[in-house]
Amino acid sequence: MLDVADKKTFRSHAMKRNMYLSTLLLLSFALMSGLAGVARGADVPAALPDPSKPPPKDLVLRDDAKCTRCHDEADNPRVLAIGKTRHGVQADKRTPTCTSCHGDSDSHINKPENVKERPKADRQFGKDSTTPVGERNQACLTCHQGGKRIHWSMAAHATNDVSCTACHQVHSRRDPVRDKVAQSEVCFACHKEQRAQLSRPSRHPIKEGKVVCSDCHNPHGGAGEKMLARDNVNDTCYQCHAEKRGPFVRSHQPVQEDCSICHNPHGTTNPNLLKVRPPFLCQSCHEPTTHHATAPVGSAVGGGNPSTPQAVIMARGCVNCHTNIHGSNNPADGAGRGFRR
Amino acid sequence: MNAMMKNFLPLSALATAVLATAGTAAAADVDEVTKFSKPESTVSVGIGHVSRDNQRFGQYTGLNKEGAYGLLDVDFVRRNEETGTWFTLSGRNLGFDNRELRFEHNRQGDWGYYVDFSQIPRYDPYTVTTTLSGIGTTTQTIGGSATAQEYHLKTERDILTIGLNKELSNNLNFQVGFRNEKKDGERLWGQGTFGAWRFLTDPIDQTTRQIDATLNYTTERLQLSGGYYGTSFENRNNLLNVVGSTLFAGSNQMALPPDNESHQFHLAGRYSFSNTTHGTFKLAYGRSTQNEAYPTAPVTGAPSSLDGRIDTTLVQAGLSARPTPKLSLRANVRYENRDDKTPVFRYFPSQNTATSTNDGTNETRDIKTTAGLLEAAYRLPNDFRLTGGVDYVEKKRNSPPVRSVSYRETTDETTVRAELRRSISETLTGALSLIHSNRTGSDFLLNTLVNGTIYSNQVAPLHLADRDRDMLRLTLNWTPTEPLSVGVRLDAARDEYTGRGISVVDQTVRKGDAQNYSLDVAYSFSDKVQGTAWYSVNNTSLESQQCGALVADVCTPGTQQVWGSHVRNLADTFGLGLRAKLSRKLELSADLTESKVRDEMLLNSIAGTAVNPIDVINTKVTSLKLSAKYALQRDSGVRVMYSYDRYRTDDWTWANWNYSPADGGTTVLQNPNQKVNFIGVSYYYRWW
């Protein structure tokens, strides 16, 4: 059996791929080996503080002793794990203290005698938080503003009371929403329809982590519709499908207007993410002249030659003939506007 | 030893080298606080086995052949605490075809750069048996092979991304990213005309490049972000030559996508007028061009390339405010002008006949979109919030002078929505939304032939037709007890389309329906054992009518065949998940998902010739993933993974298809019942 890829370019691909990877690995390895020693010496922190010897020392963040004297790895989330994250880099003077996010929490730290239960921290971010979402988010937005978050205040997530911590795990080195494989599961916590569509046979490689929700959407808001990563649907699709952009000498109007007229990017049972199988999709727009309103015939033909009623639904459907359906740059005269060549 | 393992071995040798250095680091007696609070590195090496050849399970991973595969993942991190400098090297699936590797070096808050390499394979799920020769090249010969041979078509994207960033001051930073994506391989293609169809492949050898550079200015009140975004698409194949008998005029030369490029300058900003009032804006101006020399000769006197140019201007402004603690307001306006400045020329003079539906010129596509939004939310007692909003979208398009498809130049859609939400509650949160939208527009243009004769005007196209849409959405999240949480989401939408009203039969799409229901349950058996279960039902349908009119604007039921279709896609999907940390050493996870999809295409005869029923297509996809992680020591352990994947379908659309004898009898088939087992064992080691 011939495998085209193996036959044609496998050797050169494999060599090129290994060259890329090996170069990257070696470069990284060399840099890290040379500099790791410098880092390693600084990596080992002070030993655990003895609680009997006041004052307690900070463990991870600046001024965290007032928190870490009580909170440790037994807590959920594991508070010390913030040290593994970019928030835990004290050399970066912009990084927060515990109270930058959770508030001074005086009554939490020093429980008033007249209350039974210790009051909660001023700002809590967990599932049972009673802190208003806006206030929770402000703790993040104080530092994380501008850039790709410029449109946050207008974003659907903001107006639907989605908190930053509904998606982000701040105390985790591996924030699932920033991991290519895990991200979709975070989004699917709310976007159930898209979760189901991902199980359809025609889909983007989202399960494999090769296309992620944030490749197409900016969850922090954008100037365009649907919180898209680019200003409109087509420009978002052209990031990976620039061959459809044209303009072409023969152009197909809906292709130029909006890819989502015909495609559902989240998954379908129809090939090529088509919302509806041809001919039904094509018949949604085209006048019933010539063969356009042909009633399809899908039954087995028993080895006979196909006919037009079969060709409009079997195999590639209408695209069996109208091959260059996204547009053609063939200027040769003749053969009409059927995108056939 | 299969190809995968050959690829894997040199990589694993390098990983071993990384691991060897790691050993030195790990030998140091690392204290508990370090383990809890410093980023650790991990390397994982193992081997996996795929039980049989398959077309679906390995479609995007390359695990599509029976045999052994290397498992290699690397996550190497070094952080200098004194300088805040990070070095990271992360590699995932290095033994698979969808491997990725990223190196990052940055001094936090100062500068950084990264290099990222990623591969995305796509194996076509069909097996092709054909006598076509030249597959994957730009010259393909119908019946060129004496005997039919079997092919599995494949494309692969190799993506290299490089980026750097620099904090220029406390308020100013610069970011630039460059992405080079090479795609090659071949995919299903073909050509046909009435009564004859041929199999061809689309030979792909393309490179897409993108550069995105932004300068961000941030102060407490004002944020600005401006920059340049440029893309280029290069196709090394611009024409497919088809060797064989002529199927239709010009069928021996099929155009492939032309090179094109785009450039955009943009500036976005946000200004806080107060703590509760913010304004945002974006201005962008872009130009995309396509000017590749035509792959075939145009008519005498025609330009040698299209000189295609589209200029796009975007203006957006938004305002959000909370004038009182209980009232929030939001307003947004957006204007986008896609101005197609491509020169118009009569490339196809032979089409410009008196009775033609096109005048032989290339058609430009201008689209002006104006969208607005007004929304108010008011906080009611007991943590309820009532939101009301109006959205408006208007699209204005230019129109070619002669058309074969009905067209209207302006559509406008107004959406009114109301939502009652309870955001904070001890046990129950939820929202109920009602949305109604109405799309209408200018009068449909009258389709005429070149000589001015009125032609066919029976259809209101799907994206242009008058439409009433009603949507209902209900979400509930309920936590009746501490360990149990339940989520319910119900979406129902109904579309009603209005026809042109010219023909005695309103044709094409009449009605659309969609229902999406889901139930999610999560239960924590203990701090260390959590289970999840979910179930979704998705039902979408589209009802249409067609009149088999062979002449313009005439539909006489009975004389012409009038038929209806009800296309329905019904899917029910469930998922089960379990995460268990059974001891300090043993962790288990299990995930099962199953999706059953039913595609119905019900046809009914309204008048005239009877229609043939079309068989339903059923598809079932089942996926089970089990994983056990056992710690041999505190810093190392083994992980065992098992996957079962089953794909079943009775899709007849290729199985019943026969290419014309002139094609040489190509078949394109998929295995209707694919079952694959994958088992893998890996050893992991981590260090600080």
Side-chain angles (χ1 to χ4, degrees), chain A residues 45-196:
Chain A
L48 270 173
D50 183 344
S52 65
K53 293 181 181 174
K57 290 180 181 175
D58 296 337
L59 295 181
V60 181
L61 306 181
R62 284 187 300 279
D63 304 326
D64 73 10
K66 57 187 169 189
C67 304
T68 54
R69 68 180 180 176
C70 296
H71 294 286
D72 58 19
E73 282 307 286
D75 285 282
N76 190 14
R78 295 176 169 179
V79 294
L80 299 186
I82 199 157
K84 295 172 186 269
T85 73
R86 298 180 77 81
H87 282 147
V89 178
Q90 291 197 33
D92 181 357
K93 299 305 176 196
R94 306 169 307 170
T95 54
T97 65
C98 303
T99 54
S100 306
C101 301
H102 292 279
D104 290 338
S105 309
D106 291 334
S107 64
H108 176 73
I109 294 169
N110 302 305
K111 174 177 165 290
E113 289 181 357
N114 59 347
V115 295
K116 250 185 181 178
E117 286 189 16
R118 181 180 293 276
K120 292 181 176 177
D122 290 352
R123 277 196 292 267
Q124 320 113 43
F125 298 88
K127 196 175 73 170
D128 303 323
S129 171
T130 53
T131 308
V133 170
E135 193 180 323
R136 274 182 261 170
N137 288 352
Q138 195 52 46
C140 306
L141 293 167
T142 301
C143 300
H144 296 280
Q145 53 184 344
K148 291 188 174 177
R149 288 169 292 270
I150 266 182
H151 294 280
W152 170 255
S153 58
M154 298 299 297
H157 281 160
T159 55
N160 281 291
D161 278 350
V162 176
S163 65
C164 304
T165 49
C167 303
H168 291 286
Q169 289 186 12
V170 177
H171 282 253
S172 172
R173 157 132 162 79
R174 290 229 165 270
D175 182 4
V177 81
R178 302 190 68 196
D179 180 283
K180 287 180 176 179
V181 173
Q183 185 188 86
S184 60
E185 288 301 323
V186 178
C187 303
F188 294 157
C190 296
H191 299 279
K192 313 290 188 189
E193 185 183 349
Q194 285 73 19
R195 176 180 62 185

Side-chain angles (χ1 to χ4, degrees), chain A:
Chain A
M1 183 172 73
L2 293 174
D3 186 305
V4 175
D6 287 359
K7 186 180 166 191
K8 191 164 66 101
T9 54
F10 178 76
R11 285 181 74 87
S12 64
H13 264 280
M15 284 176 64
K16 207 181 294 176
R17 176 188 309 149
N18 282 340
M19 191 184 73
Y20 277 140
L21 297 177
S22 305
T23 308
L24 263 179
L25 269 165
L26 283 170
L27 174 70
S28 316
F29 176 63
L31 272 166
M32 283 185 286
S33 300
L35 295 163
V38 180
R40 205 173 294 141
D43 275 351
V44 183
L48 270 173
D50 183 344
S52 65
K53 293 181 181 174
K57 290 180 181 175
D58 296 337
L59 295 181
V60 181
L61 306 181
R62 284 187 300 279
D63 304 326
D64 73 10
K66 57 187 169 189
C67 304
T68 54
R69 68 180 180 176
C70 296
H71 294 286
D72 58 19
E73 282 307 286
D75 285 282
N76 190 14
R78 295 176 169 179
V79 294
L80 299 186
I82 199 157
K84 295 172 186 269
T85 73
R86 298 180 77 81
H87 282 147
V89 178
Q90 291 197 33
D92 181 357
K93 299 305 176 196
R94 306 169 307 170
T95 54
T97 65
C98 303
T99 54
S100 306
C101 301
H102 292 279
D104 290 338
S105 309
D106 291 334
S107 64
H108 176 73
I109 294 169
N110 302 305
K111 174 177 165 290
E113 289 181 357
N114 59 347
V115 295
K116 250 185 181 178
E117 286 189 16
R118 181 180 293 276
K120 292 181 176 177
D122 290 352
R123 277 196 292 267
Q124 320 113 43
F125 298 88
K127 196 175 73 170
D128 303 323
S129 171
T130 53
T131 308
V133 170
E135 193 180 323
R136 274 182 261 170
N137 288 352
Q138 195 52 46
C140 306
L141 293 167
T142 301
C143 300
H144 296 280
Q145 53 184 344
K148 291 188 174 177
R149 288 169 292 270
I150 266 182
H151 294 280
W152 170 255
S153 58
M154 298 299 297
H157 281 160
T159 55
N160 281 291
D161 278 350
V162 176
S163 65
C164 304
T165 49
C167 303
H168 291 286
Q169 289 186 12
V170 177
H171 282 253
S172 172
R173 157 132 162 79
R174 290 229 165 270
D175 182 4
V177 81
R178 302 190 68 196
D179 180 283
K180 287 180 176 179
V181 173
Q183 185 188 86
S184 60
E185 288 301 323
V186 178
C187 303
F188 294 157
C190 296
H191 299 279
K192 313 290 188 189
E193 185 183 349
Q194 285 73 19
R195 176 180 62 185
Q197 287 168 335
L198 186 62
S199 296
R200 306 290 170 85
S202 179
R203 60 183 177 84
H204 279 114
I206 295 170
K207 286 178 185 172
E208 292 80 2
K210 304 309 291 187
V211 171
V212 296
C213 306
S214 59
D215 285 338
C216 302
H217 298 280
N218 180 351
H220 302 113
E225 56 191 319
K226 306 277 183 192
M227 299 204 295
L228 288 170
R230 296 291 166 196
D231 295 331
N232 53 52
V233 172
N234 283 23
D235 283 349
T236 303
C237 301
Y238 295 154
Q239 290 179 117
C240 298
H241 303 285
E243 75 278 10
K244 310 288 192 298
R245 180 164 52 198
F248 303 97
V249 71
R250 294 280 197 195
S251 71
H252 195 182
Q253 195 276 334
V255 174
Q256 300 287 305
E257 179 165 332
D258 187 340
C259 306
S260 67
I261 291 171
C262 299
H263 298 279
N264 179 344
H266 300 115
T268 67
T269 46
N270 308 309
N272 300 314
L273 295 164
L274 288 176
K275 284 178 165 175
V276 180
R277 186 179 292 272
F280 307 106
L281 178 67
C282 310
Q283 288 171 339
S284 300
C285 292
H286 285 272
E287 290 290 323
T289 51
T290 74
H291 61 296
H292 298 160
T294 300
V297 172
S299 56
V301 293
N305 295 337
S307 63
T308 298
Q310 292 158 338
V312 296
I313 192 166
M314 287 159 66
R316 305 173 73 224
C318 302
V319 189
N320 281 318
C321 297
H322 305 283
T323 300
N324 267 326
I325 198 65
H326 293 103
S328 170
N329 208 44
N330 192 339
D333 192 13
R337 58 168 63 161
F339 305 113
R340 289 193 292 160
R341 58 192 171 95

Side-chain angles (χ1 to χ4, degrees), chain B residues 234-253:
Chain B
E234 180 191 354
N235 191 358
R236 278 165 285 278
N237 299 335
N238 64 358
L239 188 71
L240 171 63
N241 296 291
V242 182
V243 181
S245 59
T246 301
L247 207 55
F248 52 85
S251 68
N252 60 327
Q253 292 186 312

Side-chain angles (χ1 to χ4, degrees), chain B residues 433 435 470-474 490-494 513-517:
Chain B
S433 307
I435 301 164
D470 289 292
M471 294 175 72
L472 169 72
R473 180 174 296 152
L474 175 70
L490 309 174
D491 285 295
R494 188 176 179 82
D513 273 293
Q515 293 90 37
N516 296 293
Y517 307 139

